[in-house]
Amino acid sequence: MSVIVTVTLVAGNLGLIFLLMTVPLGLRTVTASRVIKADGNRLWQALWPFGSDAGWSGEILSAEPLESEGTALIELSWEGRDGRPIERKARFEDVREGSYFSMMVVEDTALDPSFWANYRETAELASEGDGTRVTLTQTDRYRGVAFLIFRFFAMRRELSKLDVWAATGTYRKGGWFEHPLSQIGFAVLSACILWPFFGLNLGGLALAAILTSVVALHELGHMAAFRLTGHRRARMIFIPLLGGIAIGGRPYDSRFEVAFVALMGAGFSAFLVPVLIAASGLANGEGHRLAAMLLATLAGCASLFNIANLVPVWKFDGGQVLRQICPGPTALALASFLLLSALLALGWRVGFSPSFLLVAGAVFSALSLITMGSGVKPRHELKPIQPFDRLAMAGALLAVFAIHGYGMLWASAQLM
């Protein structure tokens, strides 16, 4: 890629990340509305947490009023870090039986109370024709549009499923977005978006497909780690241009779990890179030059992508691992400096120009500033990492770095 194309791609990604995760939006209200052909009282019994059909979606397991007037303890089907259902203390205001209620969350067993400080949701029902118009709103203070967009589509999905439930009496789990075929479609779309950046030819298409495959393998590593640490559900979502994200089935329980899941993205590919190198050498020895070049390109892309994810940036895998295993801010700063220096030295050894490496360092610094503090604070501190686990994760980080570093050096020698 030319310098202009590279700068455009990097600047576009930085701007998109800032827009999605960091730009301050202040208090915003998200609204979704739908006319459902059902009796208003039946829909009220489903939406009101104390209604006879409050468990229609399986989300609410139970709701009990507390001594404080207008408050209740709601047990949800979502798993907490201990594998038990999350409990939420809520306060209700302006309740109009059968037509309207407003709810605020005081606290729950998963997130710090500050997360709910500005949150408020309402449900309103009004007769319209031969049905009932259901209007849901959620008000909160947002940084970045990603969570705001998520809540909007989550409310639309809730209304759609409520409509199906009202008509059939059954709740249909899942949706088209996370369906495997939809995710394959998003992966194909991601490859098509990347294709022009590598050249609108067969070589460019191959590179785009290889990079998309590398992203998928990386996220599969995270998913495998989620399962190994006790998450009964884990899924991967492709985000065109930005890549993909693996999502666990419950909050993290310990610092070791955070470090292990973060490192396994690159760790999974670390098992594949030596196999790709050996397969490329075998194909070359048999005279299959094209296959050897494709395998070498895959090994090089996998090594470059995964080692870039080890950069000590706040939300990158490397930054997450270091924050869990370093015993204090001084050790964290020193480890981050050494890891970033090693990455830049490797880039120089592979053949990247000093000016490009300086720009890369500036981009990584910008990414760290953009994403710093963007995580959600848990209700309770994570379980501390044990000394042996700390050393094991540090050794694993060095091993993964070494394998991918060798993969980059080998691939650059083969492809030049």
Side-chain angles (χ1 to χ4, degrees):
M1 290 189 293
S2 68
V3 175
I4 295 177
V5 172
T6 302
V7 170
T8 301
L9 184 60
V10 171
N13 272 271
L14 284 175
L16 191 55
I17 291 172
F18 176 75
L19 179 64
L20 290 173
M21 301 181 63
T22 307
V23 60
L25 300 176
L27 281 174
R28 299 285 175 175
T29 298
V30 185
T31 303
S33 183
R34 187 185 184 110
V35 176
I36 298 176
K37 291 184 178 181
D39 178 67
N41 181 64
R42 185 178 182 220
L43 296 176
W44 172 263
Q45 295 299 326
L47 293 173
W48 176 235
F50 297 101
S52 58
D53 289 319
W56 69 276
S57 66
E59 179 181 322
I60 295 180
L61 300 179
S62 65
E64 299 177 2
L66 299 175
E67 293 182 0
S68 302
E69 186 176 354
T71 61
L73 184 65
I74 302 174
E75 187 178 73
L76 304 172
S77 59
W78 303 330
E79 286 188 17
R81 55 191 283 187
D82 56 359
R84 297 174 58 83
I86 292 175
E87 293 183 342
R88 179 173 294 172
K89 182 180 179 182
R91 183 169 68 250
F92 298 92
E93 294 180 350
D94 195 15
V95 179
R96 303 169 219 161
E97 185 71 26
S99 63
Y100 182 90
F101 72 86
S102 173
M103 185 184 80
M104 290 168 286
V105 178
V106 179
E107 62 180 3
D108 68 9
T109 54
L111 302 175
D112 187 82
S114 61
F115 179 84
W116 302 108
N118 300 289
Y119 179 80
R120 182 188 186 98
E121 69 175 71
T122 68
E124 183 176 6
L125 290 79
S127 297
E128 185 171 317
D130 59 349
T132 303
R133 177 169 290 279
V134 180
T135 303
L136 305 179
T137 71
Q138 291 185 355
T139 301
D140 206 348
R141 187 176 297 277
Y142 293 92
R143 288 186 66 86
V145 300
F147 197 36
L148 186 147
I149 294 173
F150 167 78
R151 278 181 166 166
F152 172 72
F153 282 102
M155 286 195 297
R156 283 174 55 92
R157 171 181 284 191
E158 181 181 1
L159 289 176
S160 177
K161 291 182 178 296
L162 181 63
D163 194 0
V164 174
W165 173 83
T168 65
T170 59
Y171 175 75
R172 185 182 301 166
K173 293 184 178 180
W176 69 268
F177 182 79
E178 64 267 32
H179 193 279
L181 290 178
S182 298
Q183 288 305 308
I184 292 173
F186 281 127
V188 173
L189 176 60
S190 182
C192 290
I193 292 174
L194 290 171
W195 186 8
F197 291 101
F198 297 111
L200 289 172
N201 50 47
L202 286 178
L205 179 60
L207 284 173
I210 284 173
L211 182 56
T212 303
S213 301
V214 166
V215 173
L217 291 171
H218 180 91
E219 300 306 330
L220 281 174
H222 289 311
M223 289 179 63
F226 276 127
R227 291 300 183 94
L228 289 172
T229 52
H231 292 245
R232 288 186 289 183
R233 291 182 298 174
R235 61 187 186 276
M236 177 175 62
I237 295 176
F238 255 98
I239 305 174
L241 191 62
L242 287 178
I245 181 172
I247 303 174
R250 59 165 175 77
Y252 288 115
D253 184 48
S254 66
R255 290 187 174 275
F256 172 78
E257 185 180 328
V258 176
F260 179 70
V261 171
L263 186 58
M264 268 298 287
F268 183 75
S269 293
F271 291 103
L272 298 177
V273 168
V275 175
L276 292 172
I277 291 174
S280 177
L282 179 62
N284 189 49
E286 295 293 327
H288 304 297
R289 289 286 300 163
L290 180 59
M293 292 292 287
L294 285 174
L295 289 168
T297 302
L298 180 56
C301 285
S303 298
L304 178 60
F305 178 84
N306 285 284
I307 211 164
N309 267 276
L310 297 180
V311 173
V313 171
W314 184 269
K315 293 293 286 185
F316 276 36
D317 296 339
Q320 294 196 65
V321 173
L322 289 182
R323 287 204 309 278
Q324 311 312 316
I325 66 175
C326 292
T330 302
L332 176 59
L334 179 60
S336 299
F337 174 77
L338 291 175
L339 182 57
L340 183 58
S341 298
L343 286 166
L344 295 177
L346 177 63
W348 174 79
R349 181 67 180 82
V350 167
F352 290 109
S353 67
S355 58
F356 176 85
L357 294 175
L358 287 175
V359 171
V363 168
F364 292 143
S365 299
L367 276 173
S368 190
L369 292 173
I370 287 174
T371 58
M372 184 177 294
S374 59
V376 177
K377 186 178 180 182
R379 182 71 173 85
H380 302 287
E381 285 293 327
L382 298 178
K383 294 176 183 177
I385 190 169
Q386 300 301 314
F388 176 80
D389 294 333
R390 192 192 305 272
L391 290 174
M393 292 308 304
L397 176 61
L398 291 174
V400 170
F401 179 90
I403 291 171
H404 288 303
Y406 174 78
M408 284 181 60
L409 293 170
W410 177 86
S412 64
Q414 299 298 310
L415 299 174
M416 284 184 178

